[in-house]
Amino acid sequence: MIELLIISRLMEYPDTALWQHHDELAAALEEGTALNSAQRAELGSFISSLCGRELLDAQASYGELFDRGRATSLLLFEHVHGESRDRGQAMVNLMNQYQRAGLEIDSRELPDHLPLYLEYLSQQPEGEARGGLQDIAPILALLSARLKQRESEYALLFDMLLALSASDVSAESVGKQIADEARDDTPQALDAVWEEEQVKFIAEAGCGESEISSHQRRFAGAVAPQYLEIGGQ
C-alpha cells in the first residue's frame, strides 16, 4: 500500500528533502486506493500544513513531541516491553522478519521504529500489511489518544493507520483509559527521570540499597506511560 510508505515518510524527522518533494508525495497519495476520498483529502491537508511551516520550527516541534519522554515514542516495543529483557528478543525476531522479506536496514536504525515498520509493511501484499497493522493497533490507538491530548496534528497519521488496519480498536476508547495519565514530557517529569538516572549511577558506585529504594518510591508514578499487552491481538 503506497499510503503506508507516505505515512512512514511523514512520520520521520522533517528534513529538507520532504519540503522539496512534498508535492510528489501528495501526487502519490492521489494514486492510492486504500483510503477513501475524504481520508485522502485529510492526509493531503496534513502534508500541506506540515510543509507550509518553517522547517526549523517543524523540526523543533517534532523533537518536543516524539523525543521528550516515552509516552509518544515511535519505538513500538517501548509501549509493550519497556526496558524488560523481552525487548531484546523482540528486536531480534523483528529483524529476522525484515531479513526474510529482503529488507536490509541501516545499522543505526532500530527495527521497531514505526516509520521503518511501515516501510516494511508497504512492501507486503495488502492482506499481510493489514494484518501487520492490526498487530500494532493498540499502540497506534494509544499514540493517537496521547497526541490528541497534546493537540498535535500528528494524531491524524495514527488515525489513518487505524483506518487502514480495519481494526476495531479505537483511539477514543483508549483516550478514556488514559484521561488521568500524568504526562512525561513536562520539566518536572523530565527532571525526575534525570534524578533517578543519577541515583542509579551512584548505586553502581556502591550506594546503599535503602537510599535507592527510597528514591524510587518517591518518584513512583511521576513518569508512568501505559504499557500494553498486545498478545493475542
Side-chain angles (χ1 to χ4, degrees), residues 3-233:
E3 292 87 353
L4 294 181
L5 197 58
I6 292 169
I7 294 174
S8 169
R9 185 65 184 90
L10 294 172
M11 268 188 198
E12 292 177 350
Y13 183 75
D15 59 16
T16 303
L18 177 59
W19 259 236
Q20 291 176 339
H21 300 287
H22 72 274
D23 288 338
E24 298 170 28
L25 208 61
L29 176 62
E30 290 303 315
E31 298 176 4
T33 59
L35 294 173
N36 61 39
S37 58
Q39 291 168 332
R40 288 197 301 273
E42 284 188 278
L43 197 51
S45 294
F46 175 89
I47 295 172
S48 298
S49 174
L50 176 65
C51 298
R53 302 177 61 187
E54 291 292 332
L55 178 58
L56 290 179
D57 291 340
Q59 290 173 335
S61 297
Y62 182 97
E64 291 180 1
L65 191 62
F66 295 115
D67 297 332
R68 288 168 62 95
R70 296 173 170 176
T72 54
S73 172
L74 293 179
L75 297 176
L76 293 170
F77 295 147
E78 174 62 46
H79 304 286
V80 182
H81 302 300
E83 296 181 357
S84 73
R85 294 181 180 179
D86 293 338
R87 186 173 185 173
Q89 186 58 52
M91 290 278 201
V92 172
N93 294 342
L94 186 55
M95 182 70 78
N96 291 338
Q97 189 174 335
Y98 290 160
Q99 290 176 344
R100 288 194 297 270
L103 179 64
E104 296 293 333
I105 69 172
D106 190 289
S107 60
R108 295 171 296 180
E109 294 183 285
L110 292 173
D112 65 332
H113 191 228
L114 180 53
L116 177 61
Y117 183 66
L118 295 177
E119 182 179 348
Y120 157 73
L121 290 182
S122 73
Q123 300 176 17
Q124 307 310 306
E126 185 171 323
E128 293 182 22
R130 290 191 190 279
L133 289 176
Q134 289 171 5
D135 288 341
I136 63 168
I139 301 174
L140 299 175
L142 180 67
L143 289 170
S144 173
R146 285 175 173 160
L147 291 169
K148 286 173 182 173
Q149 285 183 337
R150 301 178 189 198
E151 300 181 345
S152 170
E153 61 181 359
Y154 274 95
L156 175 71
L157 300 184
F158 296 87
D159 288 344
M160 290 295 153
L161 292 175
L162 286 171
L164 289 169
S165 75
S167 169
D168 57 2
V169 178
S170 71
E172 288 70 24
S173 61
V174 174
K176 295 176 182 178
Q177 298 174 30
I178 65 168
D180 299 324
E181 181 184 59
R183 286 181 56 158
D184 71 342
D185 63 338
T186 63
Q188 294 82 0
L190 293 171
D191 286 345
V193 172
W194 181 84
E195 290 186 39
E196 186 171 0
E197 291 301 319
Q198 286 291 98
V199 170
K200 287 181 181 178
F201 175 80
I202 295 172
E204 292 174 357
C207 181
E209 181 66 25
S210 60
E211 183 176 345
I212 300 300
S213 299
S214 174
H215 178 90
Q216 290 175 336
R217 285 195 300 272
R218 177 185 173 194
F219 290 104
V223 181
Q226 176 177 322
Y227 292 104
L228 298 173
E229 174 58 58
I230 63 172
Q233 292 290 337

